[in-house]
Amino acid sequence: MRFERKDLLGLEELSPEEINFILETSESFVEISERPIKKVPVLRGLTVVNLFFEPSTRTRTSFELAEKRLSADTVNISASTSSAVKGETLKDTAKNIEAMSIDMLVVRHSAPGAPHFLAKVLSCPVINAGDGSHEHPTQALLDLLTLKKRKGRIEGLRVAIVGDILHSRVARSNIWGLTKLGASVVVCGPPTLIPPEIESMGVEVSHDLKGAIRDVDVIMMLRIQTERLEECFFPSIREYSELFGLDSEKLKYAKPDVLIMHPGPLNRGVEITPEVADGPYSVILEQVKYGLAVRMAVLYLLGGGKFESENLDQKW
Ligand code: CP
């Protein structure tokens, strides 16, 4: 199979076969970051620009490391230090960057659909690194890879996604990815933070954390997206934490082999306590580790994917 798409914009438009193909390709890249010399010449001569209009630690660092480990030339642009602050439009910014003969653009933006718009106006591949509360495809792919590595499968798993579902691009991309690959999903949070009609995405809804986590294989905790809260969605952080924060007491209601995931950044003591985040069920740092392999795979596939992934070992 070849990955025929020009861009990676979201998991909504990908088929289960395409998602599985990216995950299989990602597995080929895990080992490269464990080598003493963590570099292969897959994207040698190509230039990738990381254009971030929102803050990021994991995604931006991970893309930059992935690009460097694939031997691409990389440039990072933050909106706060670009001419966007002087009023330049997103389209003008992107067209000017493309005029410098770049080969791929990674973009994070607060506006849902911004990467989709850029994909239409640019000739080079565009990778969505998070667009508002819409999608975060590489986060969901790295979550799926973590589950595949830990549980050996996605099909048949039951996953609880807990917290601010309304504003979460991570939740949306994971719901698409998990349900397409045959997992069942329950979303759990206060009624004000669950989007209306989310059941149409094929998920169950719960407002009771202890009940929701009772029979699941995975608990994915989400941060309250304070940067997207324009009104009051719950009485207080303390009350939210008591009802929907995951601590050791509530964890007793879960299965003994449950996995705890979180996309980061963590609000320790709000949606998750330190003893759970750092405890034996947590795979939070494994998610970050697999994120690098997923981003290497996505860059490789969109950069041409000239080499068969199973031949990576033989080539380098
Ligand atoms: N998970 C995630 O997107 O983290 P950053 O905002 O730090 O990139």
Side-chain angles (χ1 to χ4, degrees), residues 55-60 108 129 136 139 169-170 263-265 295:
S56 170
T57 296
R58 280 146 290 272
T59 312
R60 197 169 109 163
R108 169 171 284 192
H136 192 349
Q139 177 69 45
R169 54 195 176 207
V170 175
R295 288 170 181 129

